[in-house]
Amino acid sequence: MTSGIRDTGLITRVAGTQTAVLAGGCFWGMEDLMRRQPGVLQTRVGYTGGRNHYASYDRHPGHAEALEVVFDPAKTTYRDILAFFLQIHDPTALRLPIDDLALSYRSAIFPVTPEQAQVARDTIADVNASGLWPGEAGTTIEPAGPFWEAEPEHQNYLERYPNGFNCHFPRAGWVLPPLPATASV
C-alpha cells in the first residue's frame, strides 16, 4: 500500500512478533542496515509523529522519516534493536533550528507498548552512562501514532540502488554492553 487515501496509518501487528518504530535521519539507510539484523522479519519506511493524515514525501509537516521493524522476540530483543539503531546514526547531533526539515530527520523512538517505552528510557540512559558516544543522546521518546507508509520508490531503496545516498553506518565504538543474563527485555 502506498501513502495516500487508502493508507490507514496502522502500525503492523503480527502475532508472535513485536514491532519497533524508529526515526534516525534518512529512512533509506536505516532500513538497509536494520533489515539485515538477526531476528528482523520485515521493514517498511514511512512517516510518523507529525501533524497531518496521509503523509507523503512531499507533504509530511512535523513527521519524521521513520522505519517500522517487525522482529521475532525469540531471536532478538527490543533493546538489541534500539542498541543497533543508536549505533547506526548519531543520536547526539542536535538539528537546529527545529523546523519541519529538521523534524523530518530527528532521532526518535515511538514505543508501541508501555514496556517498550521503559526499555527505550533505560537504553537511552545506558547510552548516556556508557561514555561511548560523543555526548548525551538527544533521541526523544514520543507517543506512537499513525505510521504512514512511504511511497513504493522509497521502500527497499538501497536494495534497488546499492550506490544510492546513505549516511548510516555502524560505529565500532558505539556498542552497548549486553545486559546481565537476569535482565529481561
Side-chain angles (χ1 to χ4, degrees):
M1 185 176 306
T2 63
S3 193
I5 210 117
R6 294 182 312 235
D7 191 352
T8 63
L10 292 176
I11 294 171
T12 302
R13 305 289 181 128
V14 178
T17 69
Q18 288 187 34
T19 303
V21 179
L22 310 166
C26 177
F27 46 30
W28 297 336
M30 280 196 343
E31 181 183 40
D32 189 56
L33 292 169
M34 193 64 77
R35 68 182 166 78
R36 301 178 202 186
Q37 291 304 293
V40 170
L41 303 172
Q42 67 186 53
T43 59
R44 70 178 175 140
V45 298
Y47 316 97
T48 195
R51 299 186 296 270
N52 65 313
H53 290 300
Y54 314 115
S56 66
Y57 190 75
D58 293 328
R59 198 174 74 81
H60 62 275
H63 287 282
E65 286 194 9
L67 176 65
E68 181 188 79
V69 181
V70 177
F71 64 95
D72 181 345
K75 295 183 179 171
T76 192
T77 66
Y78 185 63
R79 178 186 163 87
D80 290 340
I81 296 290
L82 294 182
F84 187 69
F85 160 71
L86 293 163
Q87 182 189 12
I88 63 174
H89 80 288
D90 186 353
T92 69
L94 296 177
R95 298 176 183 12
L96 298 174
I98 299 300
D99 57 15
D100 280 341
L101 182 60
L103 289 173
S104 291
Y105 300 110
R106 69 187 182 269
S107 178
I109 300 168
F110 300 87
V112 298
T113 66
E115 295 80 16
Q116 283 189 356
Q118 185 60 54
V119 172
R121 286 188 295 273
D122 292 346
T123 304
I124 289 172
D126 289 347
V127 163
N128 290 338
S130 74
L132 298 171
W133 278 256
E136 295 269 315
T139 304
T140 58
I141 300 171
E142 302 179 29
F147 183 91
W148 304 104
E149 184 174 297
E151 297 80 0
E153 61 268 24
H154 297 294
Q155 306 299 328
N156 301 305
Y157 181 83
L158 290 173
E159 281 186 339
R160 291 178 289 119
Y161 302 100
N163 296 319
F165 177 78
N166 183 8
C167 58
H168 292 82
F169 61 93
R171 279 94 169 156
W174 296 2
V175 179
L176 279 177
L179 289 175
T182 58
S184 172
V185 288

